[in-house]
Amino acid sequence: MFKWFGMVNFTPYTRVAEFAAHLKDGRIMASRCSACGARSFPPRADCAACMAREFEWMEISGRGTLHTFTTIAAAPTGFERYAPYTVGVVDLEEGGRALAWLGGTIPSGEIAIGMTLQLVPRIEEDVEEIRVFYSLERPGTTWSKAGAATVGERQAPPAAAGARRREQV
Amino acid sequence: MSRVGIVGIGHTAFGRRSDATVQELAFDAFAEALHDAGLERDAVDASVIAAVPEYHKQRSLAGVVQEYLGLCPKPTWLVEVACASGSAAIRTAWLAIRAGVHDVVAVIGCQKMTELETAEVLALMGRVGEVQWESCFGTTFPAYYAMFARRHMHEFGTRPEHLNGVAVKNHHYGALNPLAMFRKEITAEKAAASDPVASPFHVYDCCANADGAACVILASESRAREMSTRPVWLAGMGCGSDSMSVLRRPHLTGLPSAERAAAEAYAMAGVGPRDIKVADVHDCFTIAEIMAYEDLGFCAKGEGGRFIAERESYIGGRLPVNVDGGLKAKGHPIGATGVSMTYEIAKQLRGDAGERQVPGADVGLTHNVGGIGQYCFVQVLARD
Ligand SMILES: [Zn+2]
């Protein structure tokens, strides 16, 4: 089921494939090592700290602060129709980092390092196959499974539309 | 432990080389290095080829290069760690010589990047980062360094003018280098006005894909002294690695792999940053050169922007950097780049760099980064 994750997916098989099923149901999950308790986001099955093979899923809030970001004008294969789009890296409150698109709830003029954001589960509804991802949104933003797309953003993920207003350097 | 010396160097012109195959380019660099060393081909015990395979139609490149150079049946192998392949190849040759297995080893970095279709280039560009959690958001090579730049600007007040300053300097020296891809000066205004790639980067913040080859011939200390009156020594060899994912890095304002590689190279050579008279660093993007100043100890952390603004990395400044044009203006045929750096610094230490010669250059440094700092190799080179 990890093939669901991302608009373009390069890794359909992984020991943490359940992540995508949780995401489809609206949950952002980190991993926690059953032996030493080390947490990881992105999740990993095999502990980097103690090399134990057992882990548990742990739901996280997804809240974090923006560490850095860029608006990509020159897009690679599969992402041309979204360009320009903004990707950001957030330091998550519950540990770890995530890289994701900045979504439609964040006006491009307001993007600033240090701002509080929330990683929000998303479903791309405009394609037949299941495609899940997460985007960085204003804290408190939620999407139900059915209402994944924001108002007026049916053509592309909100990230793309949000980034279309070219950011000032 | 005995040293390893550079006894011969060769280098093709970098750029769009639709006139030659990759093995033909390798031939040019190797023949020049043999001639430079005054060696017969038979004196070469083994070859190490540096190239990144996915850019070539020809698979398993070491075989075709070895055949075309007429080196069969001597040992050969391919080394690949993305953009740092060249320095990694030099490291394996150095290891083989230090181990006493081989006495004379040719290291050939060669790459043709312009034979790919645009669509293939764009597909490759989308798999530069960690593919499970990052590439699925459409990240690109410039985008990662752009995120480093944005964070560096945030923490240290580095400005777009500093980024442009690196491009202006490297084009200035590229104009003086007959082997460089771009031999034209540019202005900061032109750099700032070029098309956006990934903010804050514009086209002139990014190096260009190129074709080309470079070769260095290494020999054990005793052989190097026999065959050369002016060997350049691999005095310090450092190497480090870091996570594929930017999500697992301690910070995004520099490359910890470079700091580690530099510390190791300085310690082995018994020198410090203040002893370095000339350096070639991995300026795949303008911010990369600014971070390199800091990671290598040429200036304090956060002072990299000021270092270029005050022209400290020009000839006549505190430590001239990339006076061959760097990746930015010389071009970046990724497998050849690390070997090209060693070529340039050896040339500087011999006093053969002509218009670009750094006066009194007796100790130099190369800094070759793979990917976005997953790999870094630092060499300290010295002459007697
Ligand atoms: Zn553990």
Side-chain angles (χ1 to χ4, degrees):
Chain A
M1 65 200 71
F2 202 75
K3 67 180 190 304
W4 298 345
F5 184 63
M7 297 304 140
V8 176
N9 181 291
F10 301 104
T11 51
Y13 310 109
T14 165
R15 291 177 178 164
V16 293
E18 264 180 74
F19 177 83
H22 284 293
L23 195 62
K24 180 169 159 289
D25 291 337
R27 290 186 295 274
I28 307 263
M29 305 299 275
S31 62
R32 181 170 51 209
C33 171
S34 302
C36 78
R39 297 173 179 186
S40 182
F41 193 93
R44 49 179 294 157
D46 306 293
C47 184
C50 77
M51 294 187 72
R53 316 296 299 272
E54 307 288 321
F55 77 101
E56 296 140 19
W57 289 108
M58 183 184 92
E59 186 171 0
I60 60 169
S61 72
R63 283 172 61 97
T65 53
L66 187 61
H67 191 92
T68 188
F69 65 97
T70 181
T71 299
I72 297 173
T77 305
F79 295 90
E80 301 87 343
R81 68 195 172 105
Y82 304 124
Y85 49 90
T86 301
V87 299
V89 170
V90 282
D91 297 313
L92 295 168
E93 278 179 9
E94 287 132 312
R97 285 200 190 120
L99 182 150
W101 283 328
L102 270 84
T105 60
I106 311 293
S108 59
E110 290 176 21
I111 300 171
I113 287 175
M115 73 190 299
T116 304
L117 293 170
Q118 185 167 350
L119 208 56
V120 175
R122 307 294 305 277
I123 296 176
E124 167 65 291
E125 290 190 321
D126 292 323
V127 291
E128 267 186 35
E129 72 273 29
I130 299 173
R131 309 274 4 155
V132 295
F133 63 107
Y134 40 66
S135 60
L136 290 164
E137 307 288 350
R138 191 175 297 285
T141 305
T142 53
W143 270 273
S144 71
K145 271 199 287 184
T150 48
V151 178
E153 303 284 0
R154 302 292 299 181
Q155 296 306 111
R164 204 160 283 139
R165 294 176 289 273
R166 189 70 56 80
E167 157 210 2
Q168 299 297 307
V169 177
Chain B
M1 186 71 76
S2 76
R3 293 187 291 179
V4 172
I6 299 165
V7 297
I9 60 175
H11 199 298
T12 71
F14 282 2
R16 184 173 281 276
R17 296 296 306 267
S18 40
D19 57 313
T21 63
V22 66
Q23 61 267 33
E24 289 165 352
L25 293 175
F27 189 95
D28 291 348
F30 175 62
E32 185 187 341
L34 270 185
H35 179 77
D36 177 62
L39 284 180
E40 296 298 324
R41 179 170 57 190
D42 287 349
V44 174
D45 297 326
S47 69
V48 188
I49 312 301
V52 176
E54 60 258 33
Y55 286 92
H56 296 122
K57 305 283 190 227
Q58 175 67 56
R59 299 184 64 190
S60 197
L61 206 64
V64 70
V65 170
Q66 189 77 348
E67 176 202 309
Y68 199 73
L69 270 46
L71 284 169
C72 301
K74 302 281 181 69
T76 187
W77 59 93
L78 182 80
V79 170
E80 191 270 330
V81 276
C83 319
S85 300
S87 293
I90 291 173
R91 186 177 174 89
T92 67
W94 171 78
L95 290 168
I97 294 168
R98 292 267 297 228
V101 175
H102 299 305
D103 276 331
V104 179
V105 181
V107 181
I108 301 141
C110 50
Q111 197 83 52
K112 281 207 77 181
M113 301 177 75
T114 68
E115 63 186 35
L116 286 190
E117 304 296 329
T118 305
E120 294 174 295
V121 172
L122 290 173
L124 282 180
M125 190 169 84
R127 287 186 288 116
V128 162
E130 194 275 343
V131 301
Q132 186 171 6
W133 302 101
E134 298 176 10
S135 301
C136 51
F137 289 97
T139 55
T140 61
F141 195 26
Y144 285 104
Y145 273 97
M147 289 194 286
F148 284 120
R150 178 82 69 195
R151 186 71 197 184
H152 202 278
M153 292 165 135
H154 173 77
E155 288 191 30
F156 304 117
T158 306
R159 295 196 302 270
E161 304 90 270
H162 298 146
L163 303 180
N164 295 336
V166 171
V168 168
K169 172 180 69 71
N170 293 351
H171 277 267
H172 169 71
Y173 288 115
L176 301 175
N177 183 353
L179 302 176
M181 181 171 194
F182 301 113
R183 302 203 56 209
K184 266 190 186 156
E185 302 255 1
I186 61 160
T187 62
E189 293 70 33
K190 180 173 180 176
S194 58
D195 284 344
V197 174
S199 66
F201 288 166
H202 298 256
V203 167
Y204 276 97
D205 287 292
C206 312
C207 67
N209 287 358
D211 307 326
C215 175
V216 295
I217 297 175
L218 307 182
S220 60
E221 181 162 7
S222 57
R223 292 295 306 279
R225 289 201 185 284
E226 280 168 30
M227 65 179 76
S228 176
T229 55
R230 48 176 196 168
V232 169
W233 305 106
L234 294 174
M237 299 287 278
C239 178
S241 68
D242 209 336
S243 64
M244 190 71 200
S245 171
V246 290
L247 304 176
R248 315 250 187 215
R249 298 281 175 94
H251 60 80
L252 300 181
T253 55
L255 303 179
S257 59
E259 293 175 315
R260 184 189 193 281
E264 197 175 31
Y266 288 139
M268 190 182 296
V271 303
R274 294 201 170 276
D275 300 307
I276 305 299
K277 305 290 178 24
V278 59
D280 248 35
V281 309
H282 200 92
D283 60 321
C284 47
F285 299 94
T286 48
I287 191 64
E289 179 163 324
I290 288 173
M291 295 195 304
Y293 300 153
E294 300 172 6
D295 292 340
L296 297 167
F298 297 172
C299 65
K301 182 77 179 172
E303 296 287 314
R306 200 185 51 77
F307 200 76
I308 180 66
E310 295 180 0
R311 300 173 67 89
E312 297 285 22
S313 48
Y314 277 79
I315 294 175
R318 197 193 306 170
L319 204 171
V321 174
N322 289 341
V323 298
D324 57 353
L327 280 58
K328 180 71 201 70
K330 191 173 57 176
H332 182 29
I334 48 181
T337 285
V339 184
S340 169
M341 290 174 167
T342 303
Y343 166 96
E344 169 68 12
I345 299 302
K347 202 166 186 169
Q348 287 280 350
L349 299 195
R350 290 169 169 193
D352 289 345
E355 279 186 281
R356 309 176 276 109
Q357 180 64 45
V358 174
D362 55 353
V363 181
L365 178 148
T366 69
H367 158 273
N368 187 197
V369 175
I372 50 170
Q374 285 92 358
Y375 325 98
C376 186
F377 294 79
V378 172
Q379 299 167 359
V380 172
L381 287 80
R383 66 174 192 218
D384 283 323

